[in-house]
């Protein structure tokens, strides 16, 4: 796990970067009968690794115009050579943080994940109203604030993972998919056909198990999120997963707060972090409501580099 220490004149910057490096592969074959087969070994040398870093000042504003000389990269106390540094921005308006023409445009990747409230509520109570409000504000964001280079996928969970829409930039298709997720429709039985990602576009469906395998392998929400993370792993860069729900922590432990389920949570958390997926937990409970899952949702967000949103008046806030 390389530790990246960043320094810049007049600023103190701290960034933690996790990179997985394949150092070697060893193929060992067990003996068959009385014969012992030869052991073969192959060593791979990694000469260059791409690291994504976010650099901000003390006020949280991105710092633009940095080059290789502004960074110090160390691994095992050894300084590593930096071959280049590129700046990417997703700002499109007059509030652009830099006028540097060398800045490269970058896409943002959002995965909307609706934990269907019908599994814990009936359609007439406040929780269903909250889910409807969240869907309405999500459609509003798609229509008014989604940027031209953004990619969005709509997913959910009710007994199994559901992909209502693969990654797309089509606002009309996404708004329709959110409505389907709000109603808890089965994507495979819907009256309209979800559009697969085009050639060269990011995709979840291409990476998920084929056919009924997805249904069989995602029978709990932990495995559903793990498969979503692994399916998004081929996409280079940070992926933002917006979780709409009330939590799914273990309520059988000591105390009054839900805790991560030791059986499933570690593997799910590892998959999310390994594939650079940050969870932004958006609590569907009504404003001012205290409930046992709050601590779990906060833990989930912190463990993956996201934020836990609660006690807001409108779902437009997160």
């Amino acid at each position: 796990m390389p530790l990246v220490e960043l320094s810049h004149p007049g600023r103190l910057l701290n960034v933690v970067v996790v990179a997985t490096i394949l150092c070697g592969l060893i193929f060992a074959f067990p003996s068959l009968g009385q014969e012992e087969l030869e052991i073969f070994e192959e060593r791979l040398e990694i000469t260059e690794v791409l690291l994504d870093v976010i650099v901000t000042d003390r006020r949280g504003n991105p710092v633009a115009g940095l080059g290789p000389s502004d960074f110090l990269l160390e691994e095992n106390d050894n300084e590593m050579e930096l071959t280049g540094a590129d700046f990417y921005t997703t700002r499109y308006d007059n509030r652009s943080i830099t006028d540097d023409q060398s800045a490269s445009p970058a896409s943002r990747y959002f995965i909307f994940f609706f934990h269907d409230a019908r599994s814990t509520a009936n359609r007439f109570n406040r929780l269903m109203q909250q889910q409807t409000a969240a869907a309405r504000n999500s459609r509003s964001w798609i229509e008014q604030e989604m940027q031209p280079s953004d990619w969005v996928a709509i997913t959910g969970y009710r007994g199994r993972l559901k992909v209502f829409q693969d990654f797309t930039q089509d606002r009309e298709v996404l708004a329709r998919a959110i409505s389907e997720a709000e109603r808890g429709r089965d994507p495979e039985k819907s009256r309209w056909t979800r559009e697969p990602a085009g050639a060269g576009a990011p995709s979840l469906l291409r990476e998920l198990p084929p056919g009924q395998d997805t249904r069989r392998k995602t029978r709990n929400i932990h495995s559903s999120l793990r498969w979503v993370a692994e399916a998004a792993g081929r996409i280079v860069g940070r992926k933002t997963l917006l979780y709409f729900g009330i939590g799914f922590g273990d309520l059988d432990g000591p105390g009054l707060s839900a805790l991560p389920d030791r059986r499933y949570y570690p593997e799910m958390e590892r998959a999310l972090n390994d594939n650079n997926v940050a969870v932004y937990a958006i609590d569907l409970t009504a404003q001012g409501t205290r409930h046992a899952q709050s601590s779990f949702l906060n833990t989930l967000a912190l463990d993956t580099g996201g934020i836990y949103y609660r006690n807001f008046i409108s779902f437009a806030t997160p």
Side-chain angles (χ1 to χ4, degrees):
M1 179 187 297
L3 172 64
V4 181
E5 298 179 359
L6 305 180
S7 60
H8 190 264
R11 300 182 178 93
L12 177 62
L13 308 173
N14 296 308
V15 176
V16 176
V17 176
V18 177
T20 302
I21 301 177
L22 179 62
C23 298
L25 296 176
I26 299 179
F27 301 91
F29 299 89
S31 59
L32 298 177
Q34 299 298 322
E35 295 185 15
E36 184 174 344
L37 299 181
E38 182 179 356
I39 296 178
F40 296 91
E41 181 179 292
E42 180 179 355
R43 295 187 182 277
L44 301 178
E45 181 180 358
I46 304 300
T47 58
E48 190 170 67
V49 176
L50 178 65
L51 300 178
D52 291 328
V53 298
I54 300 175
V55 184
T56 61
D57 60 21
R58 287 187 175 89
R59 295 184 177 181
N61 299 312
V63 178
L66 302 181
S69 61
D70 297 303
F71 298 90
L72 174 63
L73 172 62
E74 293 184 346
E75 181 177 13
N76 298 328
D77 296 327
N78 296 318
E79 184 174 346
M80 310 298 290
E81 178 186 4
L82 292 176
T83 59
D86 294 310
F87 176 73
Y88 294 87
T89 180
T90 54
R91 299 285 180 97
Y92 296 91
D93 53 25
N94 293 330
R95 295 177 295 122
S96 177
I97 59 177
T98 179
D99 294 326
D100 186 358
Q101 298 300 315
S102 64
S104 303
S107 291
R108 299 184 298 178
Y109 303 94
F110 296 95
I111 303 170
F112 285 61
F113 190 97
F114 289 90
H115 189 180
D116 196 344
R118 288 166 183 79
S119 60
T120 55
N122 63 63
R123 64 171 50 250
F124 300 105
N125 70 8
R126 184 65 184 273
L127 189 56
M128 289 305 305
Q129 296 175 11
Q130 292 287 93
Q131 179 169 290
T132 299
R136 181 174 61 249
N137 281 278
S138 296
R139 287 192 296 269
S140 178
W141 181 87
I142 292 291
E143 294 164 358
Q144 300 177 20
E145 299 186 49
M146 179 179 168
Q147 300 291 352
S149 64
D150 289 345
W151 292 93
V152 180
I154 310 299
T155 65
Y157 175 81
R158 188 185 182 191
R160 66 178 178 85
L161 173 65
K162 297 182 179 182
V163 180
F164 297 95
Q165 177 55 51
D166 205 353
F167 278 109
T168 183
Q169 296 176 322
D170 189 320
R171 288 177 171 83
E172 182 177 349
V173 168
L174 289 168
R176 186 169 56 184
I178 290 175
S179 296
E180 295 286 303
E182 174 192 349
R183 296 181 177 93
R185 299 281 178 79
D186 191 330
E188 288 79 12
K189 298 178 180 178
S190 176
R191 290 177 295 178
W192 65 280
T193 304
R194 58 184 175 182
E195 298 186 9
S203 175
L204 295 177
L205 291 176
R206 281 200 300 264
E207 305 299 328
L208 287 172
Q212 295 297 319
D213 284 350
T214 296
R215 181 189 297 269
R216 180 173 56 84
K217 294 180 178 181
T218 61
R219 290 174 178 169
N220 64 51
I221 192 170
H222 295 85
S223 60
S224 296
L225 287 169
R226 176 172 59 83
W227 275 104
V228 167
E230 292 176 354
R234 289 184 177 271
I235 301 172
V236 177
R238 176 186 175 91
K239 281 77 65 174
T240 297
L241 189 145
L242 306 174
Y243 168 86
F244 294 90
I246 62 171
F248 50 97
D250 185 4
L251 292 171
D252 294 332
L256 301 177
S257 298
L259 300 174
D261 192 317
R262 295 181 180 179
R263 297 169 297 171
Y264 309 113
Y265 186 84
E267 187 177 8
M268 180 199 71
E269 179 201 352
R270 185 163 52 249
L272 290 165
N273 285 314
D274 285 351
N275 294 284
N276 202 4
V277 178
V279 177
Y280 286 71
I282 302 173
D283 199 335
L284 285 184
T285 55
Q287 183 187 21
T289 302
R290 298 173 63 94
H291 63 103
Q293 295 286 350
S294 293
S295 60
F296 169 78
L297 290 174
N298 188 55
T299 297
L300 175 62
L302 290 175
D303 285 348
T304 59
I307 297 174
Y308 171 40
Y309 287 97
R310 68 187 183 110
N311 291 335
F312 40 82
I313 298 176
S314 169
F315 285 99
T317 302

